[in-house]
Amino acid sequence: MANTKSAMKRIRTNEIRRQRNKEIRSKVRTILKKFDATVEAGDQAQAQEAYQTAVSALDRAAAKGVIPSARASRKVSRMAVRLQALGA
């Protein structure tokens, strides 16, 4: 157990950040699943809308440090390829 005031504060801070990160990561996963479902359904209009939402969520998560920016970029790129294939 922590002995100093600063160590106790770090424990509290880390827990708050862990909860925030968990919530953001969960939301991003849900949004990505919705994008996958719309692509599988073949609806281009809904897929485009889901793509915009997913890109926004990934960028926000990367900006907050929840996920690495390279991972966000890779996912956005792969989603764009799938969206283009749907339109072609």
Side-chain angles (χ1 to χ4, degrees), residues 51-81:
Y51 172 78
Q52 294 297 330
T53 305
V55 168
S56 177
L58 284 167
D59 287 343
R60 273 197 311 271
K64 291 181 179 182
V66 177
I67 62 172
S69 59
R71 184 184 306 164
S73 296
R74 183 177 64 244
K75 286 185 180 287
V76 167
S77 176
R78 289 178 181 174
M79 284 191 310
V81 168

Side-chain angles (χ1 to χ4, degrees), residues 35-43 82 86:
F35 172 77
D36 289 341
T38 57
V39 169
E40 291 297 321
D43 187 0
R82 290 182 66 197
L86 186 63

Side-chain angles (χ1 to χ4, degrees), residues 12-65:
R12 288 193 309 269
T13 305
N14 289 341
E15 180 60 22
I16 291 167
R17 288 184 178 182
R18 186 184 71 82
Q19 291 292 335
R20 184 200 69 173
N21 291 346
K22 182 179 175 184
E23 181 181 337
I24 293 170
R25 207 174 301 117
S26 176
K27 284 181 182 178
V28 168
R29 284 189 191 127
T30 302
I31 290 169
L32 291 176
K33 285 179 187 177
K34 286 181 182 178
F35 172 77
D36 289 341
T38 57
V39 169
E40 291 297 321
D43 187 0
Q44 187 173 2
Q46 279 189 337
Q48 180 67 36
E49 194 174 308
Y51 172 78
Q52 294 297 330
T53 305
V55 168
S56 177
L58 284 167
D59 287 343
R60 273 197 311 271
K64 291 181 179 182

Side-chain angles (χ1 to χ4, degrees), residues 2 4-16:
T4 62
K5 283 177 79 173
S6 61
M8 286 187 252
K9 181 179 177 182
R10 288 305 300 171
I11 289 171
R12 288 193 309 269
T13 305
N14 289 341
E15 180 60 22
I16 291 167

